[in-house]
Each structure stands twice: as C-alpha cells, then as structure tokens.
Amino acid sequence: MSRRIIVEPRGLAPWWLKLLIPVASVIAALALGALFLMMTGNDWVEVYKKMADTAFGSGRGFAETLVSATPLILTGVAAAIAFKMLVWNIGGEGQLMFGAIAAAGVGIWLGGGTPPIIAITAVVLAGAIGGAFWASLSAVPKVYLGTNEIITTLMLNFIALNLMQYLVLGSFSPWRDPEATQFPQGRPIIDNARIPEFFHRLDWGLFIAIFVAVLAWFVISKTRSGFEYRIVGDSFNTARYAGIRVPKKILGTFLLSGASAGLAGSILVAGILGKMDPRSLDLGLGFTGIIVAALARLNPIAIIPVAILMGALNNAGPALQSIGVPTATVKILQGAILIFAVAGEFLIGNRFRRPRESVEEKPEPAKEASAA
Amino acid sequence: MPDQDQSSATPAVELRNIDKSFYGVFANADVDFSLAKGEVHALLGENGAGKSTLCSVMAGLYRPDSGEMLFDGKPMVFKSPKDAYAAGVGMVYQHFRLVSNLTVAENLALGNPEVGLRLSQGQLEAEAKELGERYDFPVDPSARIWQLSVGQQQRVEILKLLYRDAKILILDEPTAVLTPQEGEALFRAMRMLADEGRSLIFVSHKLQEVKAVSDRVTVLREGRVVGAANTDDAEPRDLARMMVGKDLVLPTRKPNESVGDEVLVIEDLVVEDDRGLDAVDGLSISVRAGEVVGIAGVSGNGQRELAQGIVGLMKVKSGSVRLNGTDVTKKSVLAKIKSGIAYVPQSRLGMGLAPGLTTEDNLALKQYREPPYSNGPLLSAAAFGRRGAELIEEFDVRGVRPGLPIRLLSGGNLQKALIAREVVQDHSVLIARSPTRGLDVGATADVRDHILAERDRGIAVLLISEDLDELLALSDRLVVIYEGRIVGEMPASEATAERLGLLMSGEREDQSA
C-alpha cells in the first residue's frame, strides 16, 4: 500500500497563480532571510524595518530606490527579450559597460555648446548602439557559425570590464580625467549632455527605462514583427515553416537586447554618474537584470515593479551597516528570491494530484513519486 | 562442429502468444516466433507492423503484457535490457545508443559488468581492434564516436554486442542508414556471425535484402504474424502480398472528371538529406488541377526531403519545381507560400503549429502579414479573434478556450485547425504528409473530406503517406517511391496489394512478372 502523488503537466495556469508565485517567492525568501538573521544573532524585525525604512520610508529614500531600479529595468528587459527567444544572452554586464564607454566617449567629444536636447539624445543613443555592438560580437558568430552565446557573452563581460578599467585606471585615454590628481577618475561629460534630475537624485532616465519596457511589451504583443518574434520563440521549425527568416530574427533580437543593456550604461553615465566611473558601473547590474527578468516571468511590464523591488534591496544594503549587519545580506535575499521563483515556475507548469482510486495498479510505477 | 545438430534442435529464442499493447492499441498480438541457432531470421513488415516492438520485447526494453519467452529452452522474464544482456541477447536500435564524446573502446566498455573500476585504455583499445579485425569490421578504437560516419557507428553498436559475447543479435532496420557498400559489408559480417553459431534477427522492409542475407523470414502485419517461410522457398510476390495483406479497399468514388492543366511539375529533383546523401534522387512528377496524386513508399525513402524540397524548407540540389508554369525552385519559403503552395506537414506540433500560441494565433500563422490581420506594422487583435472564431466554427475545431495554448487540443482538433489554415489561403497546390496519421475514425473522415473537397475545387493535391488505406481512399493516381526514385505508377483503381508491396520493397515490376 502506498500513497502516491502524481505530478503531471498543467494545462492553462490560472492568472492568480502566475501572480501568487512571484509574491510567495519574495515572502519565502524574506522568511529564509529572517531565519538566517536569527541564526547570526540579529533581530530580524529590526533589520527588515531598517531596510523598509531606507528604501521606502522617505521621499529621498524612495528616489534612491528608483535610481537603483532604473538600470535594472533596462538590463531586465535585455535579458527577458533574449531569453524568450531562447537566446541566452548573459552578457548584459558587458553590454552595459561598453554602452557606458560609448556614451561617455560621445559626451566627452561633443562641444560644450551643443544644445541639451541634441547632446542628451546623442549620448543616450551612443550607449544603445555601443551595447548592440558589443552584443553583435556574440550574435553574429552565433547566427552564422553556431557558436554558443552563453560562453561568448560571458567572456565578453570580462573584456568589457577590463577595457573600461584600462581606459580610466590604466592609461591616459580621453576617458580619464586629466585633472584628477589623487586617484584616477573618469573625465566628466559635458554638462549639456547630463539628464536633468527632477526629484532628489532621480532623473528622467527612469522614464526612458519605463518607456523601453512598455515599448518592448507593445512591440511583442501588438505588432507584426512581435508576432513573428513570438512564433520564433515558440518553435524554430514552425517559424521556418511559416516563412519567417529565423536567423535574421534571432540576430535582431540579440542586438536589441544588447541595446537595452547598453542604454542602462548610457543612462548611468548621462544621469547620476556624469562620467564613466568604473567602480559605479561594476555592480553586477547585468546579472541582477537576469534575476529581474526571471522573477517577472519574462514579461516586460512586470519587470518594472520587480526592478523596483530589487532596487529597494540594493538601496537598503549599505544602510544595514549602521546597525552592524553586512551589506551582503541583500545579496542573500536576492539569490533566495530567484531560487524560490524558479522553483515556483515548476508549480505554474505542473500540478500534483492523487491517483484516482479505481485506476488499476500499473506494474511499473517508474515516473511517480512514491511516499509510502 | 559435431554437436551442432543436437543443440540446434532447441531454438535460441522461442516466443509464445506474445501480446503487447500501448494505451489500449495492440502493437503485438498473439505472436509466435522462433529463432534457430546459427540462423539469420528476417522480420518483414510495413511501418507500424510491430517489428520494432517485438524486437524491444526480446531485448528487455518492453515487458510483454502476456505470453512466454524461452531462451535456449528456458523461460525467461526480462525486467530490463540488462537482464537480456545477461541472457546473451543484444539489440542494435535504429537510433544508436552511443556516447558521442567517448571513444569507440570506451563505448564498448560502458555498462559492461566485466570491466572493473579501473580502465586500461590500452587494453580496451587492443581488444576493440582485435574484435573489429576478426569480423572484417575495421574501426579505429581510439576515435571518438562523433568523428565516425553513421555506418561506422553502427559497427560500433554491433561490436558492443560482440564484446559482451551476445549469442542473439537483433538488428532493427540496420540498412536504413547505410550506403549500399556498407550494407554489403554488414551482410558479410552477419553471415560470419551466423556461421559461428550466433543467431541474428534482421528487420527490414526490403525484399532484396531479405533474400540476400536471411535463412528464414517471418512476416508481421498489424502486430500479428501472418506467415513464416524458409527464405529460399519464399516467392517475393507472396511475401509482398502477406506484408501488405488484406484485400485492398479500392476507391469506390468516381475520379474527378474535370482534371485540369498541370499545376505542379517537378523535374529531376535531387534533395540531400541531413547526412548529405541524395534522399530524393532524380524524381519527376506532375500533378494536375483537381487531381490527388498519392506517393506511396516505406518511410525513409525520401518523403520528407521531397515535401520539404518542394516547399523550400530544404535546399534543392538540382532539378526544378514549376508552379503554373513559373519556376519556383529556388524561391524562399515565404515566396512559395505566396505563390500558392499550401503544406500540411507530418509533424503537427513540431512544425505545422506553434504549440505555445493560441488557436487563433495559429490560424493566422500564414496570413498575418496581410489585412485584415495586419494593418501596416500593427496587428489587429479584433481580426485575429473574429477570423479565428469563424474558422473554428467552420472547421469544427473543439476544445478552444481563450488564451489556451493550442498544444492542449487533441490530435484531431489540431489537424482540423492546421488544415483550416492551409486551405483558406490562396493556393493552387496542397502538399499533405500523412494527414490522418494518429487520428480517430471521426477526425480521419473529416480530414479526408477536406482533402477531397480541395480536389473538387480544382486544387492540385500531392499526398505523401505511408498508410495505404489513406492513399487509396484519397488518390486518383498512385506513385511508388523507393530510395528517392519513382519505381512505379498506376491509377488507384488498379492497385493491388502484391504490386504495391513489391514496388515498396524495392522489387522491380519486371522481375515480379
């Protein structure tokens, strides 16, 4: 006699489940985090209170949360649109950095008298183009030679990081500030290329990021090109059968993914940083974007609130030090959220049920979890 | 060997009343079979006759629902292929079971209980080499599997069995993947193994091969044994008749009176398969408006390449495809869709439909580029909904719910949706591959009606199928292909089981006369 549970694929998951799973993932991660804090001798209530207070407790705090969220929206979109087409672009990190290099380059090269609207547009677009270019180094070999993009995008992350550090820390390139006497710094871009702030340190880059997320959603669900994208993402064979040129579509998606990550770099350079600062651009924003995309179930609109949540965690981290808790606590929470979200994905795709009593016993219960 | 006569009295394998069904469908029913020691025994039958299932039962992969298996006179129950190995039974599957990153020698050692924890690469390779040379089956033991040709990989599979000293070797359609030269070498090795006293089961659809290599032959049809004979005594035409079996139900409907001009004309078409072999090898055929031409043949004789070559999914190496007088050979898939080629592929969810999208989306898969679906670069959600609902109603597609991925529909409803989409677009040619495969009776009838309706409205239909019932029910003219070439042609009303069976098995008509 055994009590068995059958796991079987689910048809259509109800909408509330799709919402419940990410929310439950966050709650479960917080519970796990509380356990960890208790084990390390901290008052978890106090820690969470401190975090909530830092991230949302004041206008200034909330502005900082949104500042942290802005690049995450863009790197999240970058990961989501690529992953949905089974393009494993994990090079958001490098594409962001090369976008920043390109944006800062343009922002330094432009004459100081360039009108703001032109200067900002040029710098922001330079970042998108730079990111797309960096992605193309992986995309073109993937599409035409069949190389594995996971490996190439990952390796290019390190190349972009070292290139960025070399330009500022290791050489006297135009990106390095000649007036910095103590520690090498990035050369500031022209003032007219800076994106204006409107609420504490928060600048209009947030709206560019939100616009990109909404645009991605609109293109995917409302346009012909987006329909083709959905078909390719569902089945390469079917797409070919329907007359869609699959390699071209993959190449285009990969480049747009890179452009979105590159845009994150240029918005940082033209926004809060004002220069290419290697330390401020090496925070793992590309990788956190992957978490954001996964938690948002690759839905561009859902990326916005998820990025704000992740931004809040990033923002709250440093404040924990004042109560003697390591900043890395937020990394644990972010990691735990991802693990719970991915595990929850299984529940969206499958369901558990008891076997019906009348069904005759099969001789080989190979695929059933036995709980005797 | 002096005791040969005495020991060969006990068969190597004896099966009694073997039944095996999958989900209530019989794959083997009441099968009796016996394999003598030292013989090559051919299993002959059409696709789906139950040959592979029977082999898998003997190799321990499936357990029979009922019946008895005796190996060397002893009743045996195999719980897994491991038990079968222990009893000296080994099988070479159609899809090889090799680890492509390991060397030949390592693959031989894999899973062999006699190989201990410590591997001696040198010793393994020496053994592999010695074994290969003994059977005139040379392979480089240090080569990795992915570096080998398909024929060489098959040799490794056979050597794997010999390495374990299997006494009973089951080869499931071994020649399907081989060039003629490789086939000759295989047959020589098979004879050599039989002469050593091993017993071999050889699955094939090809009468010539059966004649060339086997001592005895058993014919299966629809899961049952329909005949067994010594190969030398068996007439090809008798075997063919047994294989195709039952008296064919010839079409009672009238052929279309108003057959029009040639719409699809294919000349000397050559299409390579994935391995770079000419799977379609100089094939010429034409289909007229209002005519259904059925292409019969055992699967793997170029059907896939023919269909995909015509619609542009596979590259045409040489020859031409003309549509209403215009050469479309080199056109893209999209250009061919637009020039009027509709295509119902064999795999519904693998190619014909996007499994994760909704039914409405799938119904628009070929026409979304034009109004009303598209309005410039934007899609009209209203048109998707309205047009989708119309087609779902008209073609009686059941089980559709809003937002439901189409993969959750049943096979019959999937096929109805697919056909609906293909026949409502502007087209003059319909290519259909096994359109009723796996469908229940009701859905089969619906799909057949749709195809005949196409014919009646003047579409040129090319039906490519392995199911003779389907071909006879729908075709006006039957063409048989074998190894990528046309080997015979007849009006459907003149088809006989014997004639089709012989042609499909690669016998030329003049030989059988």
Side-chain angles (χ1 to χ4, degrees):
Chain A
M1 176 65 199
S2 64
R3 273 172 294 154
R4 291 176 315 194
I5 306 288
I6 294 176
V7 181
E8 62 183 12
R10 186 198 291 280
L12 190 58
W15 65 270
W16 53 264
L17 192 68
K18 292 183 189 166
L19 194 65
L20 178 72
I21 297 286
V23 172
S25 308
V26 172
I27 293 170
L30 289 174
L32 190 74
L35 198 67
F36 166 77
L37 288 166
M38 278 191 282
M39 280 161 49
T40 52
N42 292 291
D43 181 352
W44 65 273
V45 179
E46 189 200 3
V47 172
Y48 284 170
K49 208 165 152 252
K50 179 83 185 167
M51 284 172 65
D53 198 44
T54 312
F56 302 108
S58 63
R60 191 188 149 84
F62 189 55
E64 283 303 315
T65 290
L66 293 178
V67 165
S68 295
T70 301
L72 295 180
I73 294 173
L74 290 165
T75 54
V77 169
I81 61 177
F83 289 3
K84 210 164 182 178
M85 204 180 243
L86 309 182
V87 169
W88 306 110
N89 174 17
I90 52 171
E93 199 72 14
Q95 290 142 21
L96 176 147
M97 290 171 190
F98 198 78
I101 294 172
V106 170
I108 291 162
W109 172 78
L110 281 176
T114 316
I117 184 78
I118 293 173
I120 291 171
T121 308
V123 169
V124 167
L125 283 183
I129 293 167
F133 166 74
W134 206 247
S136 75
L137 300 182
S138 301
V140 172
K142 174 192 167 63
V143 170
Y144 295 105
L145 302 170
T147 59
N148 183 330
E149 75 277 15
I150 298 181
I151 293 166
T152 56
T153 52
L154 190 64
M155 292 194 301
L156 282 164
N157 285 343
F158 295 102
I159 297 174
L161 174 64
N162 282 290
L163 177 63
M164 180 176 75
Q165 290 176 336
Y166 170 77
L167 290 175
V168 173
L169 309 176
S171 68
F172 290 93
S173 77
W175 278 266
R176 176 163 167 169
D177 187 355
E179 287 164 30
T181 50
Q182 297 289 317
F183 193 80
Q185 280 189 6
R187 183 200 292 245
I189 63 169
I190 59 166
D191 284 343
N192 280 359
R194 296 290 300 270
I195 302 172
E197 296 164 355
F198 67 92
F199 181 58
H200 298 285
R201 287 211 309 154
L202 185 60
D203 61 54
W204 292 93
L206 173 69
F207 296 102
I208 299 178
I210 290 174
F211 174 75
V212 167
V214 174
L215 184 70
W217 167 81
F218 180 82
V219 170
I220 290 170
S221 53
K222 303 287 175 197
T223 69
R224 207 168 74 185
S225 176
F227 186 55
E228 290 177 346
Y229 164 89
R230 281 186 280 143
I231 297 167
V232 176
D234 198 60
S235 160
F236 288 178
N237 263 335
T238 307
R240 264 166 44 77
Y241 162 81
I244 297 165
R245 279 150 74 189
V246 175
K248 200 179 131 197
K249 210 73 196 161
I250 290 177
L251 184 65
T253 304
F254 208 151
L255 297 185
L256 288 174
S257 166
S260 184
L263 208 51
S266 63
I267 284 175
L268 286 168
V269 167
I272 51 165
L273 302 179
K275 58 183 177 261
M276 188 175 79
D277 175 14
R279 275 149 301 178
S280 307
L281 289 163
D282 179 23
L283 302 174
L285 295 168
F287 290 122
T288 310
I290 293 172
I291 302 182
V292 169
L295 200 53
R297 307 196 69 243
L298 310 185
N299 176 339
I301 298 291
I303 280 173
I304 299 168
V306 173
I308 292 172
L309 175 76
M310 288 291 162
L313 288 170
N314 280 346
N315 178 19
L320 294 182
Q321 281 176 331
S322 70
I323 55 169
V325 175
T327 307
T329 306
V330 302
K331 290 283 164 211
I332 294 175
L333 288 175
Q334 286 178 342
I337 291 172
L338 179 67
I339 289 170
F340 283 116
V342 170
E345 196 64 21
F346 181 78
L347 297 177
I348 293 179
N350 296 276
R351 66 178 168 200
F352 299 93
R353 71 171 174 83
R354 285 283 179 79
R356 275 185 287 274
E357 290 304 316
S358 59
V359 173
E360 66 180 287
E361 293 276 320
K362 281 269 188 159
E364 53 230 313
K367 281 186 181 168
E368 293 159 7
S370 187
Chain B
M1 278 174 270
D3 62 347
Q4 172 96 30
D5 286 334
Q6 191 208 335
S7 75
S8 63
T10 318
V13 180
E14 198 176 352
L15 304 183
R16 293 180 189 155
N17 310 106
I18 294 290
D19 282 349
K20 176 72 194 172
S21 64
F22 296 98
Y23 305 104
V25 178
F26 271 104
N28 288 142
D30 203 17
V31 171
D32 290 333
F33 174 76
S34 108
L35 174 69
K37 285 176 186 158
E39 76 167 350
V40 175
H41 195 136
L43 273 183
L44 190 65
E46 282 193 288
N47 297 111
K51 306 182 299 286
S52 293
T53 306
L54 190 64
C55 291
S56 298
V57 165
M58 283 186 263
L61 191 70
Y62 298 145
R63 289 167 77 173
D65 299 335
S66 62
E68 246 189 314
M69 297 202 284
L70 284 79
F71 289 83
D72 207 7
K74 289 184 284 286
M76 293 267 196
V77 175
F78 294 152
K79 292 203 181 89
S80 75
K82 208 168 147 190
D83 293 349
Y85 268 131
V89 184
M91 176 162 169
V92 176
Y93 297 88
Q94 287 181 45
H95 299 281
F96 301 148
R97 269 51 170 186
L98 296 169
V99 181
S100 67
N101 279 332
L102 297 186
T103 65
V104 170
E106 286 165 341
N107 269 281
L108 296 191
L110 208 63
N112 191 329
E114 279 164 36
V115 178
L117 278 177
R118 295 185 48 178
L119 284 180
S120 159
Q121 200 72 267
Q123 193 198 335
L124 278 177
E125 290 186 7
E127 283 174 13
K129 197 162 158 47
E130 193 269 327
L131 208 55
E133 278 166 1
R134 177 139 47 103
Y135 296 101
D136 197 15
F137 238 36
V139 277
D140 173 5
S142 60
R144 294 186 190 278
I145 298 299
W146 58 265
Q147 297 169 318
L148 302 180
S149 72
V150 181
Q152 289 171 317
Q153 292 183 14
Q154 188 181 63
R155 292 180 180 188
V156 179
E157 283 280 21
I158 295 172
L159 290 177
K160 223 163 84 180
L161 304 186
L162 295 175
Y163 187 73
R164 298 171 173 212
D165 199 22
K167 297 284 189 252
I168 297 158
L169 290 89
I170 305 170
L171 310 177
D172 192 1
E173 289 191 39
T175 55
V177 295
L178 299 183
T179 63
Q181 293 78 6
E182 288 172 327
E184 295 290 318
L186 174 70
F187 291 164
R188 278 197 303 276
M190 284 169 66
R191 288 304 341 169
M192 213 182 298
L193 291 167
D195 291 345
E196 281 186 355
R198 297 179 205 269
S199 312
L200 289 93
I201 295 174
F202 169 67
V203 176
S204 180
H205 320 279
K206 298 181 185 173
L207 288 173
Q208 282 168 356
E209 293 177 359
V210 170
K211 287 294 258 184
V213 77
S214 71
D215 302 307
R216 279 204 297 160
V217 53
T218 292
V219 184
L220 284 175
R221 190 177 73 234
E222 293 172 350
R224 293 172 188 276
V225 173
V226 290
N230 288 326
T231 310
D232 287 339
D233 307 337
E235 281 291 314
R237 71 173 87 184
D238 296 333
L239 292 174
R241 197 182 309 118
M242 279 194 264
M243 202 165 100
V244 176
K246 67 214 159 183
D247 294 328
L248 297 175
V249 182
L250 294 176
T252 48
R253 66 188 160 67
K254 273 182 289 183
N256 195 348
E257 300 288 320
S258 53
V259 171
D261 295 336
E262 287 182 336
V263 175
L264 178 70
V265 181
I266 293 165
E267 270 172 17
D268 295 322
L269 194 72
V270 178
V271 184
E272 287 183 356
D273 63 14
D274 302 331
R275 292 174 291 145
L277 303 175
D278 292 342
V280 174
D281 192 7
L283 187 146
S284 300
I285 193 172
S286 81
V287 189
R288 293 171 177 275
E291 179 187 41
V292 178
V293 174
I295 303 234
V298 172
S299 71
N301 277 295
Q303 287 94 333
R304 170 170 169 259
E305 291 77 10
L306 173 63
Q308 299 207 358
I310 296 171
V311 302
L313 284 165
M314 289 181 107
K315 214 162 147 185
V316 171
K317 190 170 157 195
S318 64
S320 70
V321 178
R322 275 181 295 134
L323 189 65
N324 294 316
T326 317
D327 187 335
V328 297
T329 318
K330 303 273 178 208
K331 290 230 172 117
S332 70
V333 178
L334 180 57
K336 286 186 177 178
I337 293 170
K338 287 188 169 162
S339 67
I341 300 180
Y343 177 36
V344 176
Q346 185 169 32
S347 171
R348 284 157 216 154
L349 289 178
M351 175 170 279
L353 300 165
L357 301 190
T358 63
T359 305
E360 288 84 353
D361 283 349
N362 271 291
L363 286 168
L365 215 55
K366 290 254 177 106
Q367 293 152 298
Y368 66 88
R369 298 173 180 89
E370 281 122 39
Y373 292 115
S374 274
N375 184 4
L378 296 185
L379 293 181
S380 158
F384 273 72
R386 195 182 58 241
R387 194 80 187 96
E390 282 168 18
L391 292 176
I392 287 166
E393 164 91 38
E394 186 185 336
F395 286 83
D396 192 26
V397 183
R398 295 187 198 168
V400 180
R401 277 190 286 146
L404 191 78
I406 199 167
R407 71 184 146 81
L408 297 169
L409 300 188
S410 71
N413 286 307
L414 289 176
Q415 191 69 319
K416 282 193 258 180
L418 209 170
I419 287 182
R421 183 190 68 215
E422 292 305 304
V423 303
V424 295
Q425 63 184 337
D426 280 338
H427 67 295
S428 49
V429 171
L430 172 67
I431 316 246
R433 280 196 70 199
S434 308
T436 61
R437 181 168 154 142
L439 303 187
D440 62 35
V441 180
T444 299
D446 284 351
V447 168
R448 286 182 179 174
D449 286 348
H450 286 307
I451 288 177
L452 290 177
E454 284 284 283
R455 180 195 72 167
D456 293 342
R457 62 185 261 229
I459 303 293
V461 181
L462 185 65
L463 174 70
I464 304 172
S465 176
E466 285 115 44
D467 176 355
L468 286 178
D469 288 335
E470 178 176 74
L471 285 164
L472 287 168
L474 297 174
S475 307
D476 299 307
R477 194 149 59 89
L478 273 178
V479 170
V480 182
I481 57 170
Y482 180 76
E483 294 184 342
R485 262 168 284 185
I486 290 177
V487 291
E489 185 173 340
M490 68 201 78
S493 52
E494 291 172 21
T496 63
E498 181 182 316
R499 197 164 167 207
L500 283 175
L502 284 170
L503 288 168
M504 285 165 62
S505 321
E507 295 285 309
R508 300 221 65 95
E509 289 200 78
D510 43 34
Q511 291 171 346
S512 66

